[in-house]
Amino acid sequence: MTCDDASMMRWSRQILFGDVDAMFASAAVLADPSLAGKPVAVGGSSPRGIIAAASYAARAFGVHSAMPTGEATRLCPQLILIPPDRPLYRRLHEQMQAVTDQLFPLTEWSSIDEFYADTTQLQTRYPDPRSLGQLAKDALYDATGLRCTIAVATGKTVAKIAADSHKPDGLVVVPPGTEEAFLAQRPLRALPGIGPKTAARLEPLGLKTIGELLDQRWDQPLRHIFGARLHWVRELARGIDHEPVVADRESKSLSHETTFEQDRHDRPFLEQTLRGFLRDLARDLRQEGLAAGSCTVKLKNARFAITTKQHRFSHPLNYDPDMWPTVQQALRELIRPSTEYRLAGLALSSLTPAPPGLFDQKRTKAIQAMDALITKHGSSVIGLGGVSQDDE
Ligand SMILES: [Mg+2]
């Protein structure tokens, strides 16, 4: 059977993953087309600034996200530094959501510029996954002017790894039955759950690729490193991944989540993570003149099981110190003893226009001054939703 035949037969499950290419840097070019093709980076200015995203021209100089701005300008003296434009990113995100809502029955936006769609039911109308991928690419470009890379596979993990290895402006299909062969040559670190620390323990052994994780010669050291997780890691390395696409979005909500480099179980760490998300999301609410009526905490454990807990605030709020006790309570009810978590997220929903007089005037002014300071000095860049994942 040829590859084309395999991709055209009906798949028992089909997941389409899309990821905008260098979204923040590309958005800067949309706002100022004279920047096209130039080394552009979005981030805070020196000395304490951090790069949030770099254009492909800037990457050629070694500039990448999470790099101090000082280092980036040293590597690329002609670098054009652009401050983040959150309202623009939000607008583009909403335009893309409108496209995916129209195209797909079930979509999960995992960050501001990445989504998963379950396209299993669309196969009757689009028997060729490549045509469907091209249709989505074109529709997103027509709506926003942003290019994205799209991958279609039988599971989320393979789709994401395939897209990451076909950037920018890529389109790739990994047909059923070819997942293991596709993953075999990919670097270890491309596999979820293998962060820099785990890779640093595997590489001295001589393991470099995902395929080598399946080699029985390595059973002993792998069992030592992964323990009970080894079975699950090997399933992923074979491309076996049943994680569902979860439409976790209410019609109007703000959310942020992150996957940890290592699974974590300590409550202070999880609280600190959510506290940071809340600070950023509450600032977004205030800047948009909105308040939230409820919050949802989401945790994903090391076995990829997702649990959520939703609480309502006594009245709509947008000042994070007032919101935190409710978020913290939801987290405490959700955490299970001796459970390792790989992801934490927070969503604020039931959004309404902020009622006038939500704060007394003096307090409102102080909060506005704080927001302006954070925006000016670029520390907002560090906490910006999805920044660390945006660079590919
Ligand atoms: Mg991206």
Side-chain angles (χ1 to χ4, degrees):
M1 181 185 293
T2 70
C3 189
D4 273 356
D5 291 336
S7 67
M8 293 289 276
M9 69 188 186
R10 190 173 171 87
W11 303 19
S12 57
R13 184 171 184 251
Q14 190 180 82
I15 305 295
L16 182 148
F17 172 74
D19 180 2
V20 180
D21 303 325
M23 173 160 164
F24 298 161
S26 306
V29 175
L30 287 179
D32 177 1
S34 75
L35 297 174
K38 294 184 180 160
V40 174
V42 174
S45 52
S46 280
R48 288 177 49 214
I50 299 285
I51 299 296
S55 71
Y56 287 90
R59 290 179 203 195
F61 291 87
V63 176
H64 58 77
S65 69
M67 171 183 275
T69 301
E71 190 183 343
T73 50
R74 190 176 52 74
L75 286 170
C76 179
Q78 66 272 50
L79 186 70
I80 302 165
L81 195 66
I82 309 279
D85 184 348
R86 300 159 71 91
L88 174 61
Y89 309 150
R90 172 112 352 103
R91 196 165 66 241
L92 290 167
H93 177 74
E94 282 167 4
Q95 288 167 347
M96 293 190 291
Q97 268 186 341
V99 170
T100 56
D101 283 351
Q102 200 175 11
L103 279 179
F104 306 120
L106 179 57
T107 313
E108 172 186 345
W109 280 85
S110 52
S111 75
I112 196 164
D113 73 325
E114 292 185 1
F115 68 90
Y116 296 91
D118 190 321
T119 56
T120 310
Q121 304 303 326
L122 289 183
Q123 291 177 87
T124 311
R125 210 181 319 158
Y126 303 102
D128 177 8
R130 179 165 282 275
S131 310
L132 178 61
Q134 189 64 52
L135 181 77
K137 268 172 79 77
D138 294 344
L140 289 165
Y141 179 76
D142 290 344
T144 62
L146 294 170
R147 303 272 180 201
C148 63
T149 295
I150 295 226
V152 187
T154 53
K156 290 166 100 174
T157 303
V158 172
K160 168 122 176 76
I161 293 173
D164 287 347
S165 63
H166 286 75
K167 287 199 141 274
D169 203 18
L171 173 58
V172 54
V173 175
V174 183
T178 67
E179 296 90 348
E180 185 175 330
F182 168 77
L183 292 175
Q185 297 308 316
R186 303 300 314 150
L188 277 178
R189 281 189 210 194
L191 202 67
I194 302 198
K197 284 188 179 155
T198 308
R201 295 179 71 188
L202 294 169
E203 281 160 4
L205 299 171
L207 278 89
K208 293 190 175 57
T209 64
I210 293 175
E212 283 162 338
L213 290 170
L214 298 173
D215 192 326
Q216 290 184 350
R217 278 182 303 162
W218 303 108
D219 278 1
Q220 192 96 21
L222 288 177
R223 214 162 269 141
H224 181 68
I225 289 170
F226 289 107
R229 284 171 61 214
L230 181 59
H231 174 72
W232 169 77
V233 167
R234 281 185 156 165
E235 292 237 303
L236 270 192
R238 290 191 179 92
I240 300 168
D241 160 23
H242 303 293
E243 195 192 356
V245 173
V246 182
D248 52 358
R249 174 168 57 94
E250 291 187 26
S251 56
K252 224 171 187 319
S253 73
L254 280 180
S255 66
H256 187 40
E257 63 181 48
T258 194
T259 300
F260 311 130
E261 287 211 328
Q262 280 185 302
D263 296 341
R264 303 290 294 246
H265 69 273
D266 44 318
R267 195 171 79 185
F269 173 81
L270 295 171
E271 290 195 345
Q272 190 193 345
T273 302
L274 290 183
R275 188 72 186 79
F277 291 169
L278 179 62
R279 195 166 41 235
D280 288 349
L281 294 173
R283 192 176 60 232
D284 287 348
L285 286 177
R286 295 192 295 270
Q287 286 180 348
E288 310 271 331
L290 296 171
S294 56
C295 62
T296 305
V297 174
K298 170 179 167 184
L299 293 175
K300 191 191 285 183
N301 70 20
R303 296 179 167 275
F304 281 97
I306 295 169
T307 50
T308 61
K309 189 83 199 175
Q310 186 170 52
H311 274 295
R312 292 200 70 82
F313 300 116
S314 56
H315 57 278
L317 295 171
N318 64 12
Y319 182 54
D320 42 300
D322 292 344
M323 303 163 92
W324 174 241
T326 307
V327 174
Q328 189 180 34
Q329 178 64 24
L331 175 67
R332 289 181 175 182
E333 290 171 20
L334 204 54
I335 293 182
R336 290 284 160 266
S338 59
T339 301
E340 298 269 338
Y341 293 100
R342 70 187 318 269
L343 173 149
L346 175 65
L348 300 177
S349 51
S350 309
L351 304 189
T352 55
L358 186 55
F359 309 111
D360 63 74
Q361 212 177 20
K362 198 171 158 195
R363 202 174 172 198
T364 304
K365 276 202 170 132
I367 293 167
Q368 280 170 351
M370 179 187 77
D371 288 346
L373 265 177
I374 291 170
T375 303
K376 186 173 169 208
H377 291 288
S379 71
S380 63
V381 169
I382 299 165
L384 208 60
V387 161
S388 59
Q389 264 87 50
D390 179 68
D391 62 324
E392 297 310 324

